[in-house]
Structures are given as C-alpha cells and as structure tokens.
Amino acid sequence: MYTLGEFIIENRDRFSYSTEALLRLFSSIKLASKAIHKEVNKAGLTEELIGSSGFTNIQGENQQKLDDFAHRAFIESFKSRNVVCGIASEESKDFIVIKGEQENFFKNQCIVLIDPLDGSSNIDVNVSIGTIFSVYMRKSSIQMNLTIEDFLQKGNKQILAGYIIYGSSTILVYSIGNGVHGFTLDPSVGTFYLSHSNLRFPNAERIYSINEGNYAKFSNGIRRFIRYCQEQKDNRPYTARYIGSLVGDFHRNLIQGGIYIYPKTASSPEGKLRLLYECNPMAFLAEEAGGKASNGKKRILDIKPTKLHQRTPFFCGPIGMVTKLEEFMINYE
Ligand code: P6P
C-alpha cells in the first residue's frame, strides 16, 4: 500500500522541479485536507461550522462557515512549509503574499490558486464537496515583489493540479503531468494511500452532467446536444447525472465516463465556473486522463487569463463527447 509520500519519492524523476518542493506542497495540502475532512464529517453535529458565515465572498456568493474554515486552513498550512510565495483563493479578492523566512527565501517559489471548498452549498444536504488546487512556479524574479502576472499564467504552465473530494471517503487526486493518481485517506491513521493509479476516462461514454434547469437559457447547440444524448439511437447508453458539485461530478465522470457541461447563459454570459482555480486544474487532470476540456471554441489550458476571478464556459470529459458538443455548438450556434 503506497502512501502519497512514498509514491512521490518513487516517481520523483518525473517531476521537473524539486522533489523537496513537491513534498512540501503535499505536506501542506494533506494537513489542511485532513482538518477539513474532520470538520466536514461532523458539520451536522456542530452548529459553529454549519450554515452561512453571514458574509458574502468576492463572488457575491453566500459564504458558508466551512468555506472560511477551509480557506484559513490552506493559507495557514501553506504559510508554514516554506514552499509557496503567493496564494489566490476564491475566498479572497486579491492574492495573498507569503513572505518566507530569509534563510528559506530561495525555496518559496510556488504560486497556488485554490478553491478551498467547492460546492459548499451542498454541505447542509450532505452531498460531496471538494477542494481544487492549481500550482505554478512564480514568473517574477525572486528579488522583486510578486505581481498579478505570477497568477495570470495559462493553464498549460501548471506544474501540479488536483482536487480533494470529501465524500463517502476523502480522496486526493492529482497530476504533475505524468498521469492522474488518486489517494484515499485512512482516517484511522491519518494517511493517504494510493487507491487509483493512472486514472483515465474509460472508453464507454455514458454520462452527461448539466443543470437542465437552465435549459431555457441555453444556446441551440447545447439544447441539441442534450437531445442527442437523450435519443437512444444506435443504443447510445447516455444517462443524466448532476449533483451541483464540480468535484463530485468530475470525479464520477472520470471514473465512469462522462462529460461535464457548464455553458454561458443569458444571465451568466461568461459561464459560472472560474478559469484559474476550477477550470484550469480540472482541464489539466482531464487531459492527463486522456480527455479534453474546452470553452466550446478553445482549449481551456491555452486561454490567457486577464483577471483573477474570471469565469469561462466549461466543457470537460472524454475527447469524443467534448468534440461532439463543440460540433453541435458550431453547427447550431
Ligand atoms: P449550478 C458550485 O457552486 C459550483 O461552482 C460547482 O461546484 C458546480 O458544478 C456548479 O457551481 C453548480 O452550479 O448553477 O448548477 O447550481
């Protein structure tokens, strides 16, 4: 039973940056995710972490108490590991600069973009939620201050991306550009063990995930694709599955074979999902798992970000399904 640390050491020659930096990054991610796992699994029992914090976040969304807890857990765990120099979080308007101690100054080279707790509106109804993370090397010189350009890098520059899903079990899934691997937390010993080696979309394309409640707002191309999935021609076995939690929908689709669709609508002309800390990391994983991720016209990982919290239409899953959807969008607009 490989632990996450053993797996990283065993595969260290596949990471083009320092193994120490990777181990430090995962040390932070594991610590924070275990703290969140503990709170998520007892949220129903303790008033102090259930429900709304009474604040709205930068997105204008009602912040859940656990959103704030998760945000703080990751900030604190990254601060204490001397590997990260800056963090951008869904829960904070601007990026956060982390000043390492002088003697470790040369180690703090990583930039982290994170959605600390995605799908948090599902907390009160006990549906899977997740953390999504994306890591880059800083672009600016270490003698200079961080700039926004350190955070507005294209997704194809990511050195590490992944998510933790807090569901029937807590699973950490990541890629450093050499396949996608999943590790399940054994809470009795607080250790993540390799449980999903080299995850890839299966050949069977079985699921489409979209909020059909927005059907009236979809373009013709999206509507046509939904109908294409629903017609059982040449025994296409598609089924609809949508839980309203990107990490949960993505994880199921990765394992069972399905496409996740969040298009632009009249009320969300840029789509809903955020490019930097939701779509880029998921697109990186999707491609590493043999899939595809686009905004309907362009590869997600090739989009040049212009704003920290910018949104994008997001289509992600098996190459055949994403390509078929793109064809419908071109042919029917
Ligand atoms: P809707 C959660 O807020 C989230 O960002 C994703 O996790 C999820 O897939 C999507 O929004 C759900 O949005 O509009 O269908 O409720």
Side-chain angles (χ1 to χ4, degrees):
M1 286 269 276
Y2 261 128
T3 66
L4 176 55
E6 288 163 349
F7 187 83
I8 291 169
I9 296 286
E10 198 68 24
N11 294 280
R12 60 186 172 282
D13 57 346
R14 297 166 166 232
F15 186 60
S16 21
Y17 301 91
S18 98
T19 303
E20 182 189 348
L22 192 60
L23 288 167
R24 286 171 179 267
L25 283 165
F26 273 113
S27 169
S28 305
I29 294 165
K30 286 189 293 185
L31 179 65
S33 56
K34 284 187 245 182
I36 296 164
H37 160 86
K38 184 165 151 284
E39 297 309 327
V40 164
N41 281 280
K42 65 174 190 179
L45 298 175
T46 54
E47 278 310 303
E48 77 264 19
L49 276 176
I50 198 93
S52 164
S53 67
F55 298 101
T56 51
N57 64 15
I58 169 71
Q59 324 294 336
E61 291 167 348
N62 182 14
Q63 183 189 64
Q64 302 296 302
K65 291 175 191 167
L66 267 178
D67 280 320
D68 182 50
F69 175 84
H71 170 74
R72 287 183 288 107
F74 276 100
I75 301 295
E76 290 313 310
S77 64
F78 280 127
K79 269 183 181 168
S80 59
R81 291 291 188 288
N82 286 312
V83 62
V84 172
C85 53
I87 299 175
S89 164
E90 184 195 48
E91 299 302 327
S92 60
K93 179 171 174 296
D94 301 310
F95 62 81
I96 298 156
V97 177
I98 296 181
K99 295 263 187 217
E101 289 90 29
Q102 197 51 36
E103 67 276 12
N104 289 308
F105 187 71
F106 290 94
K107 289 181 184 154
N108 296 41
Q109 300 296 306
C110 292
I111 296 284
V112 173
L113 297 106
I114 191 164
D115 184 352
L117 205 59
D118 176 73
S120 50
S121 56
N122 290 304
I123 292 169
D124 298 5
V125 295
N126 209 23
V127 165
S128 298
I129 51 183
T131 297
I132 308 172
F133 58 89
S134 168
V135 184
Y136 296 81
M137 297 307 284
R138 73 180 290 175
K139 278 174 71 175
S140 55
S141 140
I142 54 174
Q143 279 80 15
M144 313 296 283
N145 291 331
L146 282 182
T147 73
I148 188 66
E149 284 311 314
D150 285 305
F151 297 85
L152 300 181
Q153 301 184 51
K154 288 184 181 181
N156 58 34
K157 295 291 184 194
Q158 291 175 97
I159 65 168
L160 163 66
Y163 59 83
I164 300 105
I165 180 168
Y166 309 99
S168 50
S169 56
T170 291
I171 302 177
L172 188 158
V173 176
Y174 81 90
S175 178
I176 55 171
N178 277 289
V180 178
H181 309 287
F183 295 77
T184 300
L185 176 66
D186 176 343
S188 67
V189 289
T191 302
F192 283 93
Y193 289 101
L194 180 64
S195 51
H196 302 73
S197 180
N198 206 20
L199 277 166
R200 292 187 67 79
F201 284 104
N203 291 330
E205 300 175 352
R206 296 181 51 245
I207 295 165
Y208 69 99
S209 305
I210 185 169
N211 183 345
E212 293 191 52
N214 296 322
Y215 188 86
K217 304 177 195 167
F218 292 152
S219 68
N220 276 335
I222 298 290
R223 293 180 186 181
R224 290 273 187 140
F225 180 76
I226 292 172
R227 283 208 295 280
Y228 164 82
C229 291
Q230 289 168 344
E231 287 156 12
Q232 293 300 320
K233 278 193 193 127
D234 44 297
N235 68 14
R236 246 196 321 274
Y238 291 158
T239 186
R241 287 286 183 274
Y242 188 75
I243 54 174
S245 175
L246 172 59
V247 175
D249 282 315
F250 181 94
H251 188 70
R252 181 205 54 243
N253 290 353
L254 173 58
I255 290 172
Q256 296 184 349
I259 184 172
Y260 175 92
I261 305 166
Y262 209 106
K264 65 181 182 185
T265 62
S267 51
S268 313
E270 294 305 314
K272 175 182 183 183
L273 299 189
R274 275 70 94 188
L275 174 61
L276 288 178
Y277 40 79
E278 291 176 329
C279 301
N280 270 338
M282 292 318 217
F284 186 80
L285 294 172
E287 291 194 4
E288 279 298 313
K292 182 175 182 180
S294 92
N295 66 359
K297 295 191 174 72
K298 187 168 183 177
R299 181 184 180 228
I300 289 289
L301 297 183
D302 290 341
I303 296 173
K304 173 65 178 84
T306 53
K307 288 184 295 197
L308 215 42
H309 300 287
Q310 76 184 70
R311 300 172 189 266
T312 176
F314 187 57
F315 311 110
C316 178
I319 292 174
M321 293 187 83
V322 177
T323 303
K324 174 63 76 177
L325 174 53
E326 289 169 336
E327 287 166 5
F328 274 100
M329 292 177 71
I330 290 165
N331 298 336
Y332 297 103
E333 269 311 311

